[in-house]
Amino acid sequence: MNFFDKLTQRINSNDTLLILGLDPNPEMMPQDQNTQQGQQSLIIALESWLTWVIEQTAGLVCAYKPTLGFYEALGSEGLDLLLKVIQVIPDEIPIILDAKHGDINTSTILAKTIFEQWQVDAVTVSPYAGHDHIAPFLVYPDQGVFVLCHTSNPSAVVLQEYPTDEAPFYLQIIKEAKTWATPEQLFLEVGTTNLEVIKKVRSLAPERLLLMRSIWSKGNDIHEILKASLNPMGNGVLIPIPQDFLKSEALKEKVINLNQDINQYRKSITQDLQNCDLWSPNVCLLKSHPHQDLILQLYDIGCLLFGEYVQASGATFSYYIDLRKIISKPQLFHQVLTAYADILKTLNFDRIAGIPYGSLPTATGLSLLLHHPMIYPRKEVKAHGTRRLIEGNFQAGETVVIVDDILITGKSVKEGAEKLTSSGLVVKDIVVFIDHEQGVKDKLKTEGYNASSVLTISEITETLYEAGRINEQQYNSFFKH
């Protein structure tokens, strides 16, 4: 199970957004436990205390977050202590190593150490060195990466707010980081009690999980912070337990009360959030299509055009669809892949086949997302080399699901299916993104193929018209066609 799924399962099962920092900070220890002298005695006391903390809170948190710097400060004994603490944490609870790593020269070795040897689930990193620094952590698809985009340090304002309040550097970090990995692998760390900053972060990254920090300053309202940071489903944010709680013998009771207060407030505002308080492309359709946001984004970047367009088949349609731009929009591409995956998860198959050339990026993405091997039939057979008809490894008799982008005449998918079956493979299902509703699904059914689509062109047109993206003339023109 990857980090995102593990965390989500924990959030749902324990009904909590709370995380707890497990830091060997003597100042946070209860006074009666912080009386021993000497380094060895201190390490023993810290281990005993942190073990007690885990025992008290294991059923109340969705993740633990040990800070690497505190353990490093204790030398080799401190790193040994970190490994002991990691071993004490129950396997079902995710571990986020708060490393704030920022050195490009050591990123590869650190990623290998923490993910392979220490078996932590996620890490925090500093983005200043750019994607080259973050990439070694992202090559572990089952682990998570939290990118620090904002810190509460007062002196950091001169950097974070540069060059203007309208276009601050911390928002540029978010824009760049969103292109590095999917919302299920890369997340944001936000340290501030400034509600306007939190709102800007959430507005720019509505799909990202936010790890909050430094939010318990005196006089700040946790409810207002939640309102600014939660997504429309009342999730999407991790809330740290105040470190002061760790000094109390009533730690468990305090955490229970805090979680009850947070959950009660989440429930009170969830309906308001779902009524489009957050991201929406200038519309709020209460009875919207499940893929409303996806449809509107496709229209906004020019993938869906309305007018008079000659198709590849020679026919003239009142619309034109160009999905090639999607691969240059990582977050939108991820939404498209997720929509495909929802259908593929209901099917039985051994391999995924893309149809050259338009659906090869989609097939590749789905192969990575669903952990199924990919193959593809060549558009033309090479006159040199291996002269293979099918690229990729496979065994005769295996079942293949075909994915393609658009279903208009069905010519390309039928040709692809014939090449696959001629090589001894079995094709039962075809999944496309958009069905032009020309009766092709029924024709494919008679030939033994079950065709499914994420969207139909009429669903797209209805949504765009209802949202005000196309006018009545364009709407009527489509349905007259």
Side-chain angles (χ1 to χ4, degrees), residues 109-122:
I109 187 63
L110 181 67
K112 184 178 179 65
T113 299
I114 65 174
F115 289 151
E116 296 184 22
Q117 296 181 25
W118 297 358
Q119 295 289 297
V120 304
D121 301 283

Side-chain angles (χ1 to χ4, degrees), residues 86 98-99 103-104 122 145 165 355 391 402 469 477:
I86 290 174
D98 194 359
D103 179 19
I104 192 172
V145 176
D165 290 341
I355 301 298
E391 295 292 356
I402 292 178
R469 287 297 199 275
S477 177

